[in-house]
Amino acid sequence: RELRLAQALADQAAVASENAWLYLATQQAQRRAEILREANLSLTRSLNLEDVLRTSLDALGGLIAYDRAEVLLLDDSSRVTLWVGLSSREQGAELARVDGRSFGLDEYPYLSEMMATRQSRLVPCTREVSAWREWIGEQAPAQMCWIGVPLVAGERVIGMFSMESGQPGRFGAEHLQLAEVMATQAAVAIHNAQLFEAERAARTQAE
């Protein structure tokens, strides 16, 4: 009798635990869906490039607990301009363009291959990937976890999301999938903002 009672209590505890995990998973899925919805609304309302980048990095920070995120924007001459967002849980991402950090894509074969194949990458520990190089001039940790996701607008690759964590193994397949969903939304908004800025610059020059 005592064994049956103990088994019954164990079964009840298992069911309660499973229900708790299902509840948490549902809550997390709802929160992520809300972050993506709000980001999409904000991205469709702005043609200011800095606002679009900040919104994108804020949304990424809500979906993925990164230590540092970067947006690499690719121009027509295959040079990359770097924008950096440092994650802040209280105030959102702090965005800054890194002056003097424009570089040729061919300097980084690992990134160049990603852009050419349009394939995202998840690197659990950068120390274990010989082709992976640290960013120019950065004193990045010797090892970290990294996600790279190309930004594709139409048929054109316009850049890439880069996310870093100082904890190897911090990101998994689920984080990569979330970053890809966000990149799909952000790429169109970034491209539209770039077109708007180019058109405005052309009008100003014509005047």
Side-chain angles (χ1 to χ4, degrees):
R1 181 179 177 181
E2 290 180 355
L3 288 176
R4 288 198 299 271
L5 177 59
Q7 185 61 50
L9 291 174
D11 291 343
Q12 290 177 5
V15 171
S17 178
E18 182 178 357
N19 288 339
W21 280 110
L22 288 173
Y23 174 77
L24 290 175
T26 301
Q27 291 293 101
Q28 185 179 54
Q30 291 176 345
R31 183 181 66 83
R32 287 172 171 173
E34 183 63 19
I35 290 172
L36 289 169
R37 187 189 70 83
E38 290 181 357
N40 188 53
L41 288 175
S42 297
L43 290 172
T44 56
R45 291 172 179 168
S46 178
L47 288 172
N48 180 279
L49 182 58
E50 289 194 28
D51 289 344
V52 168
L53 296 178
R54 184 174 291 105
T55 295
S56 299
L57 291 177
D58 273 343
L60 275 177
L63 296 168
I64 304 168
Y66 63 73
D67 293 329
R68 173 188 173 100
E70 298 166 333
V71 183
L72 289 73
L73 298 182
L74 187 64
D75 65 20
D76 293 333
S77 59
S78 294
R79 291 198 65 80
V80 175
T81 301
L82 187 64
W83 294 75
V84 175
L86 300 177
S87 182
S88 171
R89 299 293 173 261
E90 292 78 22
Q91 299 178 0
E94 298 177 3
L95 180 69
R97 175 172 176 169
V98 183
D99 293 327
R101 288 289 304 280
S102 173
F103 55 87
L105 189 60
D106 57 356
E107 297 175 35
Y108 290 86
Y110 194 70
L111 300 184
S112 181
E113 180 186 357
M114 284 182 58
M115 298 286 198
T117 61
R118 305 185 181 189
Q119 294 295 312
S120 304
R121 296 286 176 85
L122 167 62
V123 182
C125 182
T126 56
R127 176 180 287 179
E128 299 173 359
V129 180
S130 58
W132 196 94
R133 289 180 56 189
E134 295 177 359
W135 305 121
I136 300 172
E138 283 297 319
Q139 298 301 314
Q143 61 179 2
M144 61 185 178
C145 192
W146 181 79
I147 284 178
V149 180
L151 295 166
V152 182
E155 296 299 318
R156 181 184 174 192
V157 178
I158 63 170
M160 187 181 78
F161 278 154
S162 166
M163 283 149 286
E164 305 166 5
S165 172
Q167 177 185 348
R170 173 68 183 82
F171 302 140
E174 183 180 24
H175 298 106
L176 180 62
Q177 186 177 32
L178 288 169
E180 289 175 336
V181 172
M182 189 61 228
T184 300
Q185 294 184 182
V188 176
I190 292 171
H191 186 52
N192 288 340
Q194 289 176 321
L195 291 175
F196 177 77
E197 289 195 353
E199 182 179 338
R200 183 172 58 181
R203 288 200 305 266
T204 300
Q205 186 175 6
E207 293 173 356

